[in-house]
Amino acid sequence: MKKINLFRFPLLFLVLSFSTLQAQTSVVISNDVDAPVINRNIYGHFAEHLGRCIYGGLYVGEDSEIPNTDGVRNDLIEALKNLQIPILRWPGGCFADTYHWKDGIGPQEDRPTIVNQWWGGVTEDNSFGTHNFLNLCEVLGAEPYLAANIGSGTVQEFADWIQYVNHSGESPMANLRREYGREKPWGVKYWGVGNEMWGCGGNMTPEYYANLYRQYATFMTNWDNETGLYRIASGANVDDYHWTEVIMRDVPHHLIEGVALHSYSFVEWGDKGDAVDFNEAQYFSTMQTALKMEELVTKHSEIMDKYDPKGEIELIVDEWGGWYDVQEGTNPGFLYQQNTMRDAMIAGVSLNIFNNHSKRVKMANLAQTVNVLQAVALTDGAKMILTPTYHVMEMYKVHQDAQLLPVEFDAPEYTFEGESLPAVSISASKDSIGVLHISAVNIDAENENEVEFDLSGFDLDGFNAEILVSETLQDHNTFDDPEKITPSEFKDFKFKKGRLKMTLPPFSVVVLESK
């Protein structure tokens, strides 16, 4: 950027100063003992057999020179442990409704190959299967979330999978599990009954799927899982409110625990734009779709409230994140993209929305874990980098299982070419030992925003804080410069007599922790 001597142009200095001046935003944070707990599963992840997410991403094989545990690369294991990853969804996605789980068990040399018809038409050898995934979840300390094949599978196949992973007694599937080296069942709780049944799962109507769901859910036997099975219905595509209406109306509530919702952030569906080479108009458009999550969660929750006023059925946003054109020179079916400060903005505002709607939203799964869409990590052979999205997830992990603290404020506007969006997004929580955390995002591409918090209802001594920010929205970590964007200490705030005042730089994420 060309430097301008503002002292030579005093009038210009006044104009520029006025253009970046933002009114102070006042935020009231309530210490509401009846507020819900932010379910840790809101910070969940999603790993599909798609591109290099599994093969070459998570899984490199036991014979790889890359340090690994049972074929899963150790650097990624440690990175996900650091995130305190609570739940991991697998094997899809669209892939789930073409996956036959028995192809991925038993001796490696006996496993058949499969053509991944959804993602690139590549041939896979099924070397990563049920045992590999569930053992990985144990290593990570994460709950497994299995998405079952409804589109091209059978009720019997589904029931057998549940028996295989959950039954401790004598049975054909339990004995087969023992034959393949696992005595103790894994006790899988979370099950997706199909995926995107309105699209790649079978292009079904909601009425047809509701009946099909009832059939499959009926034969989902609990076996030895003391906590019971948690059955998640394939939910709406973005704002298809009729889909949610039919599921809530037509499925008996004793057969269902959760309803899914999928929504991605992009410039526009037909032209998603480049992941790095984007302008402010494309950034603004992407943030419009990201912030629409507030409307989606609100309206789908209202439908659920109508049929389930006690809130016993939960909203599961098991696919969300930024989606752009693939990186030039890569397989278009692999959905590999870079990850910039724009993605940090998507992550920050999305997680704030989920936190603030934690009365109904009990799980969310970022798409996807590694090398696909809005990944938290990217790999290149033995190299691995952590993305800006990873760092937001790491900063926000303090909200897991903490009590929500409701926030009230009128957000300042981020205006571009006559359109406006709320510039500031905030959520807050109090953990089990009384420590308060506030996460704040300023999505404005040009202007800082001053925010003052009324914390008079809390007994606090002060705050520590960290910030994720960079020079341009397009900045990203690379294999040559893996730490270009990392969190750093944030000091631009003052706390006095229950008032916390801070200035948020343009496109930044800040998390504060009370002392």
Side-chain angles (χ1 to χ4, degrees), residues 39-109:
N39 193 310
R40 67 194 305 264
N41 288 339
I42 283 174
Y43 292 82
H45 295 259
F46 170 36
E48 182 172 5
H49 285 246
L50 196 174
R52 294 191 299 113
C53 184
I54 302 298
Y55 299 109
L58 278 172
Y59 188 74
V60 293
E62 296 181 43
D63 296 331
S64 174
E65 294 182 358
I66 299 172
N68 66 85
T69 299
D70 296 329
V72 178
R73 51 189 305 153
N74 289 340
D75 52 2
L76 190 55
I77 287 175
E78 291 308 309
L80 295 178
K81 279 185 175 181
N82 182 55
L83 287 184
Q84 297 173 6
I85 173 175
I87 191 164
L88 184 59
R89 180 176 180 242
W90 175 85
C94 292
F95 181 81
D97 284 289
T98 61
Y99 182 64
H100 299 282
W101 67 272
K102 289 181 181 178
D103 292 344
I105 61 174
Q108 296 279 356
E109 62 273 16

Side-chain angles (χ1 to χ4, degrees), residues 10 29 47 96 101 144 170 188 199 211 215 237-238 240 252 265 275 287 306 309 318 341 366 407 427 468 472 478 500:
I29 298 183
W101 67 272
E170 289 289 321
V188 177
N211 281 329
Q215 178 188 9
N237 180 26
V238 193
D240 185 353
S265 305
M287 295 314 299
K306 182 171 70 170
D318 57 15
M341 282 300 298
L366 176 67
V407 296
S427 68
L468 193 73
T472 75
T478 68
L500 171 67

Side-chain angles (χ1 to χ4, degrees), residues 428-497:
S429 68
K430 183 173 64 176
D431 68 18
S432 60
I433 59 173
V435 177
L436 186 135
H437 293 98
I438 302 170
S439 51
V441 183
N442 177 22
I443 69 166
D444 198 307
E446 299 291 340
N447 300 317
E448 62 186 22
N449 273 287
E450 190 176 276
V451 182
E452 184 174 44
F453 296 87
D454 180 358
L455 298 170
S456 55
F458 300 86
D459 182 15
L460 303 171
D461 294 327
F463 285 89
N464 296 314
E466 59 180 350
I467 185 171
L468 193 73
V469 69
S470 196
E471 294 180 2
T472 75
L473 276 164
Q474 294 78 12
D475 282 348
H476 56 282
N477 294 332
T478 68
F479 295 102
D480 294 326
D481 190 2
E483 296 188 357
K484 182 178 180 64
I485 302 173
T486 56
S488 59
E489 186 179 6
F490 180 65
K491 296 182 178 181
D492 196 4
F493 68 91
K494 295 179 180 179
F495 180 67
K496 186 177 181 180
K497 296 182 179 179

Side-chain angles (χ1 to χ4, degrees), residues 124-418:
E124 299 186 8
D125 65 2
N126 275 305
S127 56
F128 188 90
T130 296
H131 287 247
N132 307 82
F133 174 70
L134 296 181
N135 290 343
L136 169 62
C137 288
E138 287 187 333
V139 170
L140 295 174
E143 291 271 6
Y145 168 11
L146 294 177
N149 183 347
I150 307 303
S152 66
T154 65
V155 172
Q156 184 66 59
E157 181 181 16
F158 191 3
D160 283 349
W161 202 11
I162 296 172
Q163 186 184 120
Y164 186 88
V165 301
N166 280 1
H167 191 34
S168 63
E170 289 289 321
S171 75
M173 292 300 104
N175 291 338
L176 184 62
R177 181 191 69 240
R178 295 185 183 98
E179 179 183 339
Y180 291 152
R182 174 78 182 198
E183 172 62 35
K184 182 182 177 182
W186 290 278
V188 177
K189 176 180 179 180
Y190 295 97
W191 295 84
V193 186
N195 168 79
E196 296 189 355
M197 307 310 290
W198 38 262
C200 60
N203 285 300
M204 300 175 186
T205 65
E207 291 81 5
Y208 178 84
Y209 171 66
N211 281 329
L212 193 63
Y213 175 92
R214 292 163 66 130
Q215 178 188 9
Y216 274 77
T218 298
F219 291 94
M220 293 178 70
T221 305
N222 186 30
W223 300 112
D224 308 323
N225 193 336
E226 294 180 359
T227 59
L229 299 183
Y230 189 106
R231 297 158 295 188
I232 300 170
S234 173
N237 180 26
V238 193
D239 56 359
D240 185 353
Y241 301 115
H242 176 64
W243 188 281
T244 301
E245 182 96 29
V246 171
I247 299 302
M248 294 299 297
R249 183 193 69 203
D250 292 358
V251 174
H253 289 186
H254 70 278
L255 292 177
I256 187 171
E257 283 71 43
V259 177
L261 169 64
H262 291 180
S263 182
Y264 287 92
S265 305
F266 43 77
V267 177
E268 55 181 292
W269 185 247
D271 181 16
K272 302 186 190 73
D274 193 87
V276 174
D277 186 16
F278 58 90
N279 55 34
E280 187 174 355
Q282 292 170 310
Y283 168 68
F284 190 89
S285 179
T286 305
M287 295 314 299
Q288 282 180 313
T289 58
L291 288 169
K292 189 179 180 181
M293 185 65 77
E294 173 73 33
E295 175 187 324
L296 297 176
V297 169
T298 298
K299 290 187 175 181
H300 285 291
S301 294
E302 287 173 352
I303 295 169
M304 297 175 75
D305 289 344
K306 182 171 70 170
Y307 294 95
D308 174 35
K310 294 183 179 180
E312 295 175 343
I313 300 173
E314 299 170 346
L315 184 58
I316 310 298
V317 189
D318 57 15
E319 288 188 30
W320 68 273
W323 191 333
Y324 319 114
D325 293 338
V326 302
Q327 183 167 302
E328 187 175 353
T330 64
N331 188 320
F334 282 10
L335 305 188
Y336 179 84
Q337 61 188 43
Q338 250 295 353
N339 197 289
T340 68
M341 282 300 298
R342 171 172 63 173
D343 298 285
M345 298 299 99
I346 294 172
V349 300
S350 298
L351 292 170
N352 282 342
I353 291 169
F354 300 149
N355 287 348
N356 288 327
H357 286 273
S358 54
K359 182 178 180 180
R360 182 67 77 170
V361 178
K362 300 299 182 181
M363 187 197 302
N365 304 81
L366 176 67
Q368 292 186 11
T369 309
V370 55
N371 291 332
V372 172
L373 298 176
Q374 192 173 337
V376 296
L378 303 175
T379 65
D380 181 12
K383 297 179 181 179
M384 185 188 78
I385 58 174
L386 304 177
T387 67
T389 297
Y390 177 93
H391 295 304
V392 174
M393 298 287 283
E394 197 277 332
M395 293 166 68
Y396 273 52
K397 68 184 181 184
V398 293
H399 291 302
Q400 293 185 21
D401 287 339
Q403 185 181 43
L404 177 71
L405 298 175
V407 296
E408 293 184 20
F409 67 104
D410 292 323
E413 293 185 341
Y414 165 34
T415 301
F416 180 78
E417 295 185 347

